[in-house]
Amino acid sequence: MDDRVISVKDLCKDFGTFRAVDRITFDVHRGEIFGFLGANGAGKTTAMRMLCGLSYPTAGSGTVAGFDVMTQGEAIKRHIGYMSQRFSLYEDLTVWENIRLYAGIYGMTRRQILRRTAELLDRLHFRDEIHTRVGRLPLGWKQKLAFSVATIHCPEVVFLDEPTGGVDPVTRRQIWELIYEAAAGGTTIFVTTHYMDEAEYCSRVSIMVDGQIRALGSPGELKTKFAVQTMDEVFRMLAREAKRGE
Amino acid sequence: MGGFMSFVRKEALHIVRDRRTMLIVLLMPVVQMLLFGFAISTEVNNIDFAVVAPKHSEAIRQQVERLSVNDYFTFKGYISPQATDELLRQGEVDAVVVFAEDYDRRVNAIADGYPTGPAIQLVFDASNPNVAASGAGYLQNALQVGGTQHLPIETHTMYNPQMKSAYNFAPGIMGLIFLLICAMMTSISIVREKETGTMEVLLVSPVRPLRIIVAKMVPYFLLSCINLITIMSLARFALEVPMTGSMVGLIGISLLYILLALALGLFISTVANTQVVAMLISGMVLLMPVIMLSGMVFPVENMPNILQAISYIIPARWYIEAMRKLMIEGLGFGAVWKEFVILIAMTVVLVTIALKKFNDKLE
């Protein structure tokens, strides 16, 4: 059985004459934590938008959760989860209201919502805060909640766009624990980050430079290949070749 | 459909939770109506006048008596001709009524049809032209009724016989408030989601973008309907605007105008990326022309041609014009069909452009 959740081949995206994403090819397998690295302007966001069904590729082919990225953007949206680097829950709504809204968007029934909410709040030890407005929670809690809400509908794959940007080290650790837990449960994780120590936690990483994927493999493989000690060094060696500016 | 209602509920919660804004939105129409209706009025009350009468006579005494009992005038006493300028300058009086030395003879001459010089001179402080113009008109009328029965011109103001300015302001305020609530509030609420990043998450979700937008408009539409009721009740019962025109037309055209304002809000949200910009665009680009060019304050007929031409593309101008006909002149629906058609056309165009821009932005 094919366990590829994301599979793309020669995916391109042009903006006028500018080729933002240049023939990227990779597979992501079920339950994997796939780190999608690259400096700002390398084309990460554009690539991710195509995978999330937000924009259609100029050329190439691929599937996400079994749906064609060229034609089935709307179907893809129903089967993925997404969490952005910016905190993305409504601060003036309560924890429960946020959960209900997002779960409702994904067409969950009331019973499903109640069950998943109980599960999720127990795991986060949030039970007492269910009627607290999200704006009153500490940032770390919010971020954990945002991650949980992004996975409330048990998507096949979750896209995390710099999920740990601007949170303290303790919370960062907790978020990664949640990520591991979700991956162990069979959810595929597609994560972008600027923290190279986080890249070490990934099953496999790809590094984009100037719209192309220049390196792809497990952190161990890459370190061996480039004969360095840390992912940070791998990243620096590749990023140095970049011709595009910020 | 369940998804849609949960969005409407979410938007309603946003509004209700933001108590201060909601209070402003609901109270603003009331305050503005009362302010424009009572405080800022261009009608003239309380004209203080003094009288210069070189020779007292029974006829003059009667004239002064007549003016004194009039609610609009307050008699400040007899003065010498030399004091006229001084008192006007100091603002002690607004007007001075100067009777001719041979007042009685002249009045009789006029009555007999002989040509003669003026019997009365009115000296007015015109530093405030509005007060001067309408005050002079009043005073003249009052004097003529008493003195000579042979009035060469009889002015008769219709529809708003007391020239109450509140009448005029009611439609203008409606034109302003709906624009403010619908256009400004919706654009800000859409842009706020862009700013906080929630819009991004919504776009990645399976909700259709149009649905998000329409769900945003529903609560503001309802809020505007509440305001419509508030304003109309205030106009009818507090300001005593007659409102004898077609009720269906009045409500119909108001709902149409609210829709148009919502479309404008959506349009602004596609142009602006931050709440501040959205607010500035709504404030400067929308409100100023409405106040200045829609005929709310200054009559369109008196504007230079260029400004009149610009006023044609301002929706509020047509709305206010139609509302004047319906609320004040008491005309039927048939009288405003032109405004109706123009507003429908404007709404269609705006919605089309706004949706096109909105969809382009997504790509």
Side-chain angles (χ1 to χ4, degrees):
Chain A
M1 195 196 136
D2 191 358
D3 73 338
R4 287 179 301 181
V5 177
I6 301 174
S7 170
V8 296
K9 192 165 186 326
D10 295 334
L11 216 56
C12 295
K13 181 75 182 183
D14 296 343
F15 295 111
T17 56
F18 176 69
R19 176 150 284 193
V21 173
D22 190 6
R23 293 165 62 94
I24 58 172
T25 301
F26 63 90
D27 295 327
V28 179
H29 303 273
R30 190 171 306 283
E32 221 180 359
I33 299 175
F34 188 81
F36 199 57
L37 314 180
N40 288 336
K44 264 183 325 188
T45 308
T46 313
M48 191 142 139
R49 282 173 65 88
M50 288 192 284
L51 297 178
C52 291
L54 279 181
S55 77
Y56 288 112
T58 314
S61 63
T63 57
V64 172
F67 298 97
D68 191 344
V69 291
M70 297 300 279
T71 52
Q72 296 175 295
E74 291 305 315
I76 290 176
K77 286 182 184 176
R78 272 196 296 279
H79 291 86
I80 61 168
Y82 176 83
M83 179 184 159
S84 86
Q85 73 192 85
R86 284 187 295 176
F87 174 69
S88 51
L89 297 177
Y90 294 96
E91 306 233 340
D92 54 343
L93 300 187
T94 65
V95 172
W96 163 241
E97 283 161 349
N98 268 292
I99 294 175
R100 186 178 55 184
L101 175 71
Y102 281 108
I105 291 175
Y106 288 95
M108 291 171 68
T109 63
R110 199 177 159 77
R111 262 185 49 200
Q112 285 172 318
I113 297 176
L114 286 172
R115 206 190 60 228
R116 279 288 285 160
T117 304
E119 240 174 73
L120 185 154
L121 292 180
D122 276 346
R123 196 172 65 217
L124 298 176
H125 310 295
F126 263 23
R127 197 152 260 242
D128 299 336
E129 307 293 340
I130 185 164
H131 295 302
T132 308
R133 292 199 197 161
V134 169
R136 303 213 176 110
L137 298 174
L139 182 67
W141 290 38
K142 290 183 194 170
Q143 212 69 357
K144 284 192 282 183
L145 186 64
F147 177 81
S148 303
V149 170
T151 54
I152 185 106
H153 54 298
C154 307
E156 289 184 53
V157 49
V158 190
F159 290 86
L160 305 174
D161 191 4
E162 294 175 31
T164 53
V167 302
D168 60 77
V170 177
T171 313
R172 242 174 78 184
R173 192 160 183 89
Q174 287 171 332
I175 288 174
W176 272 95
E177 276 165 17
L178 287 173
I179 292 176
Y180 268 113
E181 212 174 301
T187 307
T188 310
I189 311 282
F190 185 98
V191 58
T192 72
T193 180
H194 281 306
Y195 299 107
M196 286 306 134
D197 56 325
E198 291 184 356
E200 310 265 4
Y201 304 153
C202 298
S203 336
R204 280 193 308 143
V205 297
S206 74
I207 299 177
M208 267 185 100
V209 178
D210 292 347
Q212 297 171 333
I213 290 184
R214 291 280 169 81
L216 179 66
S218 70
E221 283 165 18
L222 292 183
K223 282 184 282 193
T224 316
K225 187 177 163 196
F226 288 86
V228 290
Q229 296 300 311
T230 61
M231 277 306 294
D232 196 39
E233 289 169 88
V234 175
F235 187 77
R236 277 165 204 253
M237 286 176 71
L238 287 167
R240 214 175 292 137
E241 300 165 15
K243 291 181 186 65
R244 281 187 205 162
E246 278 284 295
Chain B
M1 222 36 213
F4 181 72
M5 281 323 288
S6 62
F7 263 96
V8 173
R9 184 170 49 194
K10 165 206 154 223
E11 292 305 329
L13 280 175
H14 284 320
I15 297 174
V16 176
R17 295 269 157 88
D18 192 357
R19 289 252 166 72
R20 211 174 307 153
T21 310
M22 193 177 71
L23 218 63
I24 292 174
V25 167
L26 286 177
L27 285 183
M28 188 172 56
V30 179
V31 173
Q32 285 204 351
M33 281 296 276
L34 296 179
L35 213 65
F36 277 109
F38 292 111
I40 310 172
S41 71
T42 53
E43 75 191 79
V44 178
N45 275 322
N46 276 329
I47 298 168
D48 293 333
F49 74 100
V51 171
V52 176
K55 255 189 193 164
H56 289 267
S57 75
E58 184 57 24
I60 291 175
R61 201 193 57 75
Q62 275 179 13
Q63 281 282 27
V64 174
E65 187 79 359
R66 192 171 293 109
L67 291 180
S68 309
V69 296
N70 191 315
D71 284 343
Y72 290 97
F73 309 115
T74 312
F75 179 47
K76 290 289 185 180
Y78 290 97
I79 56 167
S80 71
Q82 293 77 18
T84 306
D85 193 44
E86 185 68 18
L87 287 172
L88 280 172
R89 239 177 237 290
Q90 287 170 353
E92 297 283 321
V93 296
D94 303 306
V96 175
V97 183
V98 184
F99 289 93
E101 206 162 338
D102 49 353
Y103 176 73
D104 290 0
R105 192 187 62 79
R106 288 197 184 193
V107 170
N108 288 333
I110 294 166
D112 295 341
Y114 295 121
T116 174
I120 303 173
Q121 185 190 24
L122 291 180
V123 185
F124 244 93
D125 169 11
S127 56
N128 182 339
N130 273 336
V131 175
S134 35
Y138 271 164
L139 208 49
Q140 235 163 9
N141 273 341
L143 287 166
Q144 273 171 340
V145 171
T148 63
Q149 279 75 31
H150 318 275
L151 304 178
I153 305 162
E154 189 184 275
T155 318
H156 186 66
T157 51
M158 283 174 64
Y159 310 128
N160 182 4
Q162 296 106 317
M163 289 181 70
K164 279 199 175 172
S165 46
Y167 282 20
N168 253 326
F169 276 120
I173 292 169
M174 293 170 92
L176 192 67
I177 293 221
F178 293 137
L179 208 64
L180 206 65
I181 293 174
C182 298
M184 192 183 254
M185 302 299 275
T186 31
S187 65
I188 287 177
S189 105
I190 295 174
V191 173
R192 180 169 49 212
E193 296 225 19
K194 282 203 232 172
E195 241 180 36
T196 55
T198 43
M199 189 56 101
E200 208 181 324
V201 176
L202 290 182
L203 292 179
V204 182
S205 81
V207 210
R208 302 250 309 278
L210 189 62
R211 200 173 267 196
I212 305 173
I213 298 306
V214 176
K216 268 201 182 301
M217 291 178 169
V218 172
Y220 289 110
F221 185 80
L222 292 179
L223 217 53
S224 301
C225 290
I226 296 177
N227 277 333
L228 179 62
I229 297 168
T230 319
I231 297 176
M232 290 204 334
S233 327
L234 274 175
R236 180 72 193 80
F237 300 111
L239 302 180
E240 289 164 356
V241 178
M243 303 231 276
T244 45
S246 156
M247 262 303 166
V248 178
L250 209 151
I251 293 170
I253 204 158
S254 296
L255 294 183
L256 179 63
Y257 183 69
I258 292 171
L259 277 181
L260 186 142
L262 287 170
L264 256 176
L266 174 57
F267 177 74
I268 293 172
S269 75
T270 60
V271 183
N273 280 318
T274 63
Q275 293 181 63
V276 177
V277 174
M279 196 124 73
L280 279 177
I281 294 181
S282 320
M284 304 307 280
V285 184
L286 286 185
L287 296 186
M288 285 311 280
V290 170
I291 295 172
M292 307 308 249
L293 295 178
S294 67
M296 177 190 171
V297 181
F298 311 109
V300 175
E301 294 76 21
N302 297 354
M303 293 173 194
N305 285 338
I306 296 178
L307 292 185
Q308 281 200 36
I310 295 174
S311 81
Y312 283 128
I313 60 162
I314 293 175
R317 179 216 150 128
W318 302 105
Y319 175 68
I320 292 172
E321 208 164 288
M323 288 303 274
R324 285 216 171 110
K325 287 184 188 167
L326 292 168
M327 283 177 85
I328 299 167
E329 293 176 33
L331 297 177
F333 189 72
V336 294
W337 69 268
K338 189 180 84 179
E339 285 85 358
F340 226 98
V341 170
I342 291 175
L343 284 177
I344 287 178
M346 284 179 165
T347 311
V348 170
V349 170
L350 261 174
V351 168
T352 315
I353 298 177
L355 284 181
K356 171 130 187 25
K357 279 213 73 142
F358 183 74
N359 283 325
D360 287 352
K361 262 277 160 87
L362 294 184
E363 249 303 298

